[in-house]
């Protein structure tokens, strides 16, 4: 549209220049014509004589008139050339086109004014939307900061409360009080969901053990371990639906959490909890029904764990294979934990790990040779 307006403006300027030139030529022609009339009206030296309808002119005037006529014949074609006559004949058409161009120009100006008003309205809306977005961004940042503060507060509160409850749960009479309450199911669900959320939030970059989040998780695992250390607690975890869901989550944490230092203490508590549960007959049956558990324990033994957790893994494996005395369980154990791995562990730098590995090798050999 801008290119069209520029083209019309150029044509308009050319037309104006052409009309000006025509007017200038007409003025020059009128001036020459008046000069010619003036020259022809000069009083001769010999006055003309009129006889009736005939005018008698002197020979000098006649010669002068003839000369001027010849000059006029010679000059007029130069003034009234074909270009001039063609231009003059096109003057009416040019004037019509000029009027059309002016009307079109007025329409374009009106359209441009409308576009300017629309642009101003759009800019106003854009500025308002920009202000609204900035206000929303500030509000979101404030809410995010508040949410972070609330999360930190909840982590700190959970860490403090669960650490106190962990210490209290060391006493067996307190276990009865905890499990006889109306909120025990919600508590076990909370432990399962918290462990799951913790591993989902920290898949790789785990927080240090000194952080509130890690202390919260360790306290929860410690409470479960102390509950499983009680005969009443083992029965409850092995028989209740929420307890078995928690056992499944503990096994899942062993398989998903990395064998690194931030998870070492948490895995140690979970291994002790599972070992305590395996003391219960129903708990042992539930654990041996999970085919992947022995493979997870073997994977942990092959990883770079500390000696304490290696010892917990070996004790749990020994507990799983001794009580049921099932050929299927023994076969799973031999398949998951080959003798080469146990022989390697039997030469570990830690004496307790050596003894546990040798005992497990002996138990597997005797059970393998014992008919069922």
């Amino acid at each position: 549209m801008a290119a069209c307006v520029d083209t019309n403006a150029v044509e308009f300027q050319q037309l104006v220049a052409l009309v000006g030139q025509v007017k200038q030529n007409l003025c020059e022609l009128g001036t020459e014509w008046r000069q010619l009339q003036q020259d022809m009206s000069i009083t001769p030296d010999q006055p003309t004589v009129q006889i009736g309808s005939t005018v008698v002119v002197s020979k000098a005037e006649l010669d002068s008139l003839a000369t001027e006529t010849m000059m006029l014949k010679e000059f007029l074609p130069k003034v009234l050339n074909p270009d001039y006559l063609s231009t003059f004949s096109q003057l009416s058409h040019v004037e019509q086109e000029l009027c059309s161009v002016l009307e079109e120009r007025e329409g374009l100006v009106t359209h441009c004014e409308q576009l300017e008003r629309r642009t101003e309205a759009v800019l106003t809306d854009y500025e308002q939307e920009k202000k609204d977005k900035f206000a929303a961004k500030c509000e979101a940042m404030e809410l995010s900061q508040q949410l972070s503060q609330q999360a930190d507060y909840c982590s700190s509160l959970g860490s403090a409360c669960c650490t106190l409850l962990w210490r209290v749960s060391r006493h067996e009479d307190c276990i009865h009080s905890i499990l006889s309450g109306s909120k025990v199911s919600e508590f076990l669900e909370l432990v399962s969901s918290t462990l799951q959320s913790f591993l989902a939030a920290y898949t790789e970059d785990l927080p240090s053990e000194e952080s509130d989040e890690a202390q919260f998780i360790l306290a929860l695992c410690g409470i479960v371990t102390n509950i499983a250390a009680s005969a009443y607690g083992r029965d409850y975890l092995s028989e209740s639906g929420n307890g078995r869901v928690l056992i499944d989550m503990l096994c899942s944490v062993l398989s998903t959490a990395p064998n690194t230092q931030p998870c070492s203490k948490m895995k140690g508590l979970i291994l002790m909890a599972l070992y305590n549960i395996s003391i219960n007959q129903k708990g042992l049956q539930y654990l041996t029904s999970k085919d992947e558990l022995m493979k997870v324990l073997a994977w942990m033994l092959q990883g770079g764990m500390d000696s304490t957790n290696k010892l917990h893994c070996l004790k749990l494996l020994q507990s799983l294979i001794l009580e049921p005395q099932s050929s299927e369980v023994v076969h799973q154990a031999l398949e998951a934990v080959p003798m080469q791995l146990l022989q390697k562990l039997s030469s570990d730098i830690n004496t307790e790990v050596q003894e546990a590995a040798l005992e497990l090798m002996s138990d597997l050999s005797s059970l393998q040779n014992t008919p069922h």
Side-chain angles (χ1 to χ4, degrees):
M1 182 180 293
C4 180
V5 173
D6 294 340
T7 303
N8 291 333
V10 173
E11 293 179 354
F12 175 72
Q13 293 176 357
Q14 292 177 352
L15 290 174
V16 170
L18 183 60
V19 171
Q21 185 177 2
V22 170
K23 289 183 179 181
Q24 183 179 359
N25 292 339
L26 285 175
C27 292
E28 291 178 356
L29 184 59
T31 302
E32 292 176 357
W33 175 250
R34 287 193 298 271
Q35 184 65 35
L36 181 61
Q37 286 181 335
Q38 183 178 0
D39 293 341
M40 292 178 65
S41 63
I42 297 175
T43 305
D45 294 338
Q46 297 180 359
T48 58
V49 179
Q50 183 175 357
I51 303 175
S53 60
T54 304
V55 178
V56 180
V57 182
S58 64
K59 186 175 183 305
E61 280 188 346
L62 186 60
D63 293 338
S64 176
L65 182 61
T67 301
E68 291 178 357
T69 302
M70 292 176 63
M71 291 175 61
L72 185 61
K73 287 181 178 181
E74 182 181 358
F75 180 72
L76 280 177
K78 296 180 179 179
V79 177
L80 303 175
N81 53 33
D83 295 336
Y84 175 80
L85 295 176
S86 175
T87 302
F88 188 78
S89 63
Q90 295 177 358
L91 182 60
S92 176
H93 179 67
V94 169
E95 289 178 350
Q96 293 178 358
E97 289 184 354
L98 181 60
C99 293
S100 177
V101 169
L102 289 175
E103 292 178 358
E104 184 178 359
R105 181 176 179 274
E106 291 178 358
L108 293 174
V109 170
T110 303
H111 185 60
C112 288
E113 292 176 351
Q114 293 176 354
L115 291 179
E116 288 179 357
R117 288 193 294 270
R118 291 179 184 177
T119 303
E120 291 177 357
V122 171
L123 289 175
T124 302
D125 294 340
Y126 170 74
E127 291 296 331
Q128 184 63 38
E129 185 178 356
K130 190 176 179 181
K131 292 179 181 179
D132 294 340
K133 285 185 176 180
F134 179 74
K137 185 178 180 180
C138 293
E139 185 178 0
M141 291 178 62
E142 184 177 358
L143 292 175
S144 177
Q145 185 177 4
Q146 292 178 0
L147 182 61
S148 178
Q149 292 175 352
Q150 291 178 358
D152 293 340
Y153 173 77
C154 291
S155 298
S156 178
L157 179 63
S159 175
C161 293
C162 289
T163 300
L164 293 175
L165 185 59
W166 184 9
R167 294 177 182 175
V168 171
S169 64
R170 294 174 182 174
H171 305 283
E172 187 170 355
D173 55 343
C174 294
I175 299 297
H176 287 271
S177 301
I178 293 173
L179 297 180
S180 61
S182 59
K183 296 294 183 178
V184 60
S185 297
E186 296 181 14
F187 173 75
L188 296 179
E189 292 178 359
L190 175 65
V191 176
S192 299
S193 60
T194 304
L195 287 172
Q196 184 178 10
S197 301
F198 179 77
L199 292 178
Y202 301 102
T203 53
E204 295 181 359
D205 189 13
L206 294 170
S208 63
E209 291 186 359
E210 291 75 17
S211 64
D212 289 333
E213 295 89 346
Q215 291 297 319
F216 185 24
I217 296 298
L218 291 176
L220 290 176
C221 294
I223 295 170
V224 174
T225 302
N226 288 342
I227 291 175
S230 167
Y232 181 72
R234 288 194 292 271
D235 288 336
Y236 187 91
L237 293 176
S238 302
E239 294 177 0
S240 66
N242 291 327
R244 293 196 171 190
V245 171
L246 178 58
I247 293 173
D248 293 340
M249 177 54 62
L250 295 178
C251 295
S252 177
V253 171
L254 291 179
S255 62
T256 55
N259 290 330
T260 54
Q261 184 59 34
C263 296
S264 178
K265 194 170 182 179
M266 178 181 65
K267 283 194 172 186
L269 291 170
I270 293 175
L271 288 170
M272 286 190 291
L274 294 177
Y275 175 79
N276 291 337
I277 293 172
S278 69
I279 299 174
N280 182 275
Q281 186 65 31
K282 292 182 179 179
L284 181 60
Q285 291 176 357
Y286 187 73
L287 289 176
T288 53
S289 66
K290 305 181 73 62
D291 299 335
E292 298 297 323
L293 179 57
M294 290 191 181
K295 295 180 181 179
V296 172
L297 295 175
W299 169 71
M300 294 177 64
L301 287 172
Q302 293 172 353
M305 290 195 309
D306 55 30
S307 299
T308 303
N309 284 346
K310 288 181 182 179
L311 182 61
H312 292 324
C313 283
L314 292 171
K315 286 185 176 181
L316 179 56
L317 282 170
Q318 189 176 19
S319 178
L320 292 175
I321 65 173
L322 283 180
E323 295 297 333
Q325 295 186 357
S326 170
S327 59
E328 184 179 353
V329 175
V330 175
H331 177 71
Q332 290 178 0
L334 290 172
E335 189 178 74
V337 188
M339 286 296 181
Q340 295 82 353
L341 177 59
L342 295 178
Q343 289 175 356
K344 181 180 178 180
L345 292 173
S346 63
S347 59
D348 193 85
I349 58 175
N350 187 279
T351 306
E352 292 182 323
V353 173
Q354 293 178 14
E355 294 176 355
L358 291 173
E359 289 179 4
L360 183 58
M361 289 174 61
S362 176
D363 293 337
L364 286 173
S365 299
S366 60
L367 290 173
Q368 189 177 12
N369 298 326
T370 301
H372 297 281

